[in-house]
Amino acid sequence: MKKPAIATGVGLGTAAFALIGVLVLFIAAVANGAAGHQEEQGAAGSQISMQGGQVSDIPPKMLALYRQAAPAACRGLDWSVLAAIGKVETDHARHPTMRSYAGAVGPMQFLPSTFKGYAYPVPPGGANPPSPWDATDAVYAAARMLCANGAKTGTSKGVYKAIYSYNHADWYVKKVLDQAKTYAAAQPSGPDSNTDVASNAIVKAAYTQLGLPYIWGGGTINGPTGGGFDCSGLTSYAVYQGTGHKVKLPRTSQEQRHVGTPVPREQMQPGDLIVFDKHNWGHVGVYAGGNRMIDAPRPGKSVEIISLAGYWEQYAWDIRRVA
């Protein structure tokens, strides 16, 4: 199967390279079998900052997609590598045309012929039939392609080989890895590193949704709706996706207060639900360990990890173990 190609060295929408440089790099790319991806050299990605617990350079929807697709499509692939490729290719789908002169299209710059090899199964929220123009389809397809070319090993050698398969150029691999390191360093704190938390699938499922906006009534067991989650939509998703027997929670926080087994605070474990009496037991989140919770807090905010300091004293609460 023909590899997706890269319009190597051509800045999308920029004049970052002189014509001679473009020609030299294009010839090198063709010699390596690459002919479709594009590289972005604009100033938009020159500064990485933290804002509200997010990597502010990445749009919330794309940030959530990278975090969802990496573990779902390729265990061993860190989301930051996917994000770095999205940055280098189209600045996270910000490029005005998302087309290369070699025929690659969409946020992750696939040749349509190559995309077909990695488009299925259709990911949650993807287009049907899949399309390289659809962000969800494209990010999952990129994760599958990286996985098939070495990323599933989780080793630096395997990841290097996988990125090289995306664009047969060492400079490209270095650029992606450098960007991935920046994203990994700037990401919000993840679940605690101790064994109990690191192995808890409910916490991991909730963590993949960090950065998605709060949407009242948003979220199902299959993922975000309307672009995001509300608090009980997030817990419904995390519990369903994080339990082997696929536990389906009732939809509201008031109803979730009565599911599973009540747990004293001193026996609380990662993955337990915490329901707070905020406006008639109106808020619920997933305990992430270390006196922290992952939740979708309120309109204007995004799914985030918060400290529970002060919550225990300010509100009444119930802790429920559902798995």
Side-chain angles (χ1 to χ4, degrees), residues 122-141:
V122 177
N128 198 358
S131 166
W133 290 100
D134 181 84
T136 300
D137 293 338
V139 171
Y140 272 78

Side-chain angles (χ1 to χ4, degrees), residues 125-319:
N128 198 358
S131 166
W133 290 100
D134 181 84
T136 300
D137 293 338
V139 171
Y140 272 78
R144 292 178 187 130
M145 181 182 171
L146 291 168
C147 205
N149 286 283
K152 64 183 177 183
T153 66
T155 64
S156 3
K157 182 177 179 180
V159 172
Y160 192 99
K161 179 183 175 184
I163 299 170
Y164 189 87
S165 76
Y166 216 87
N167 180 351
H168 294 186
D170 290 317
W171 64 263
Y172 178 88
V173 178
K174 182 179 185 304
K175 186 177 183 68
V176 168
L177 289 175
D178 286 348
Q179 183 68 69
K181 288 178 183 177
T182 304
Y183 283 149
Q187 68 177 312
S189 300
D192 291 345
S193 59
N194 67 64
T195 303
D196 288 341
V197 178
S199 63
N200 186 272
I202 295 176
V203 175
K204 287 183 177 181
Y207 181 69
T208 63
Q209 307 306 304
L210 291 179
L212 277 186
Y214 178 97
I215 301 291
W216 188 84
T220 71
I221 58 174
N222 296 314
T225 57
F229 289 94
D230 65 10
C231 65
S232 56
L234 176 67
T235 52
S236 294
Y237 170 83
V239 169
Y240 183 81
Q241 297 295 331
T243 52
H245 48 295
K246 300 298 184 183
V247 173
K248 291 185 179 181
L249 297 180
R251 184 58 181 82
T252 68
S253 57
Q254 290 85 358
E255 294 170 316
Q256 291 180 10
R257 181 190 171 200
H258 301 291
V259 301
T261 305
V263 177
R265 180 181 168 190
E266 60 272 15
Q267 296 178 20
M268 184 168 54
Q269 296 177 4
D272 289 343
L273 301 185
I274 312 174
V275 188
F276 287 98
D277 188 10
K278 296 172 69 176
H279 310 295
N280 187 29
W281 298 96
H283 192 60
V284 61
V286 175
Y287 183 58
N291 202 35
R292 293 179 299 164
M293 179 174 72
I294 304 176
D295 71 337
R298 62 181 183 274
K301 298 280 285 183
S302 300
V303 177
E304 62 184 3
I305 300 175
I306 64 168
S307 169
L308 289 169
Y311 270 67
W312 308 112
E313 298 77 20
Q314 187 175 359
Y315 303 105
W317 42 266
D318 270 344
I319 301 168

